[in-house]
Amino acid sequence: MTMHLYFARRFFVYFLGLTAVFFVLLVLFDLMEQLRRFSVQELGIVRILQMLVLNVPKELYQIFPLIMILSSLVLFLNLARSSELVVARASGRSGLMILLAPVSVALGIGLFGVTTMNPIVAATTKQYDQLALFYRTGASRAISIGSTGLWLRQGGDDGQTVIYAHGSNHDASVLVDVDFVTYREGGGPSQRIRAAQAELRTGEWHLTDAKIWPLDRGINSEAQSETRAEMTISTTLTSDQIRDSFGKPRTVSVWELPQLIGQLEDAGFSTRRHQMWLQLELSQPVFLVAMVLVAAAFTMGHTRMGRTGLMSLAATLSGFGLYYIRNFARILGENGQIPIELAAWAPPLASVLLALGLVLHMEDG
């Protein structure tokens, strides 16, 4: 147990050290990116730093597999250079027993990332996206979905418009039985429009069988209402923006994703992206374990065997290759080419089995 705690402590220290190094690098790179995207003269340095703080957690969370494999490389190379692996084997510990401590730490870090880091990253990413949209365009958008219908809000220089629809197609480009309530800038509602159908086209909503009620004070809205077979309402929304308003899974915590998936299904939207993201997040601890095993498979040999640099490079390239395969499987799963569970769990499980096979081959031949 003492030896396991020793290996676990060293591995965790290396992981924290590399995380701090990458955090500093990400802060520097992201600061340059924020200065490129936003004007310091218009926003001020305080808001630029606010955007930086909100965006860096997402970037750091995305490179956890890279940090994990590099931490594993540092651990095993140092243990091999100091002959501690030789001593551990001489004491009767097999290679798999030596791996128990770093694998446990990697699994714990993965579970911490999914249960704790993921909600934090989702909240900061959502806030960053909203502020970036507001700073770039001066407009704001919001969406709410439930079993009773769909609520949208679009804003711009002309004020806010609240949209409520009882139903829609899978990507919210066609709304059915829909109401538009337009608000004056800084004031109350100015008119209400009810339509049988509203289709989102480039820069406008195309309404069918619409009825318009003016909502000015001191008038009879019903007496002054009018009906139109067709009409248009300008908008800055696009189908992609509407989907992203509720459809960016990275802005939703894993604790809230199941409920959101149910709401989207009730409203008739496709939930493949959300289900895929949920399964990917749940499989993240297994993938981090695979990164540790891949590094161990190439670097647990004694340094006197030579080829240390080549083996380290092979381990790093193998980690990048597995990460690429995982992302490729995610795309296939989102597009419906393969089942979601297979796309999310097959790459990390296959990586673990492949790495274990390499470790056993290196240890026992």
Side-chain angles (χ1 to χ4, degrees):
M1 180 59 67
T2 301
M3 185 184 66
H4 289 315
L5 291 176
Y6 171 71
F7 288 155
R9 183 174 64 253
R10 287 192 63 176
F11 179 64
F12 188 63
V13 169
Y14 291 145
F15 179 83
L16 290 180
L18 284 172
T19 300
V21 171
F22 277 99
F23 176 78
V24 172
L25 292 175
L26 287 174
V27 167
L28 295 177
F29 285 123
D30 199 63
L31 178 59
M32 291 186 291
E33 177 65 17
Q34 300 306 325
L35 292 175
R36 185 190 66 83
R37 296 184 65 186
F38 304 103
S39 172
V40 180
Q41 289 75 17
E42 295 180 2
L43 298 184
I45 190 63
V46 175
R47 290 181 177 176
I48 294 293
L49 293 177
Q50 179 189 20
M51 300 294 287
L52 174 69
V53 171
L54 292 174
N55 193 48
V56 167
K58 178 193 69 176
E59 305 293 339
L60 186 65
Y61 186 69
Q62 288 178 342
I63 63 171
F64 260 21
L66 173 62
I67 299 175
M68 186 62 65
I69 195 170
L70 292 179
S71 303
S72 304
L73 287 174
V74 173
L75 172 69
F76 294 121
L77 289 175
N78 285 335
L79 291 179
R81 186 176 296 110
S82 62
S83 299
E84 289 173 282
L85 288 178
V86 176
V87 174
R89 289 189 176 96
S91 67
R93 299 288 181 175
S94 66
L96 291 180
M97 289 298 295
I98 295 173
L99 287 174
L100 183 61
V103 164
S104 299
V105 173
L107 186 62
I109 292 173
L111 293 174
F112 174 79
V114 173
T115 58
T116 305
M117 282 291 295
N118 176 274
I120 296 174
V121 171
T124 57
T125 302
K126 183 177 181 180
Q127 184 68 15
Y128 174 83
D129 291 343
Q130 291 176 349
L131 289 176
L133 173 66
F134 179 75
Y135 291 154
R136 285 199 307 267
T137 65
S140 61
R141 289 186 292 269
I143 187 169
S144 176
I145 301 173
S147 58
T148 59
L150 168 70
W151 290 90
L152 280 169
R153 187 182 74 233
Q154 64 181 35
D157 296 335
D158 298 331
Q160 300 285 329
T161 299
V162 176
I163 306 170
Y164 172 70
H166 288 84
S168 69
N169 63 346
H170 69 283
D171 62 354
S173 61
V174 178
L175 306 180
V176 181
D177 196 10
V178 57
D179 286 275
F180 291 77
V181 179
T182 303
Y183 290 82
R184 303 180 188 88
E185 187 173 359
S190 59
Q191 69 175 3
R192 174 194 174 194
I193 304 173
R194 185 173 184 84
Q197 178 176 294
E199 180 181 355
L200 181 60
R201 299 179 180 177
T202 304
E204 65 181 20
W205 289 100
H206 184 266
L207 277 57
T208 305
D209 296 333
K211 185 174 182 179
I212 307 171
W213 291 272
L215 300 178
D216 296 323
R217 292 183 179 180
I219 66 170
N220 188 329
S221 298
E222 182 64 32
Q224 298 190 25
S225 64
E226 59 177 303
T227 58
R228 297 181 185 177
E230 294 182 351
M231 65 174 295
T232 60
I233 297 177
S234 62
T235 183
T236 58
L237 292 174
T238 65
S239 296
D240 291 338
Q241 290 171 342
I242 294 177
R243 285 197 304 270
D244 288 343
S245 295
F246 61 82
K248 281 188 177 180
R250 67 183 184 185
T251 62
V252 183
S253 164
V254 291
W255 302 103
E256 300 173 354
L257 261 178
Q259 180 182 1
L260 177 62
I261 290 172
Q263 292 176 342
L264 291 174
E265 290 177 344
D266 291 340
F269 294 99
S270 173
T271 61
R272 291 197 67 89
R273 285 200 305 167
H274 297 78
Q275 294 182 42
M276 189 70 233
W277 182 263
L278 177 60
Q279 295 299 322
L280 281 175
E281 288 298 298
L282 294 178
S283 65
Q284 178 83 334
V286 180
F287 190 69
L288 295 182
V289 169
M291 294 294 100
V292 175
L293 294 177
V294 168
F298 287 96
T299 58
M300 283 188 71
H302 200 281
T303 54
R304 284 183 295 181
M305 297 176 61
R307 302 184 302 170
T308 300
L310 181 62
M311 299 300 281
S312 300
L313 178 61
T316 305
L317 293 178
S318 298
F320 277 109
L322 295 174
Y323 187 78
Y324 170 79
I325 293 173
R326 189 178 186 228
N327 285 338
F328 182 69
R330 174 181 63 85
I331 295 173
L332 294 179
E334 289 180 351
N335 293 332
Q337 303 296 318
I338 57 178
I340 291 175
E341 290 77 12
L342 179 64
W345 289 93
L349 290 176
S351 301
V352 169
L353 295 177
L354 175 63
L356 279 176
L358 289 174
V359 169
L360 293 174
H361 176 71
M362 297 295 182
E363 288 293 309
D364 303 320

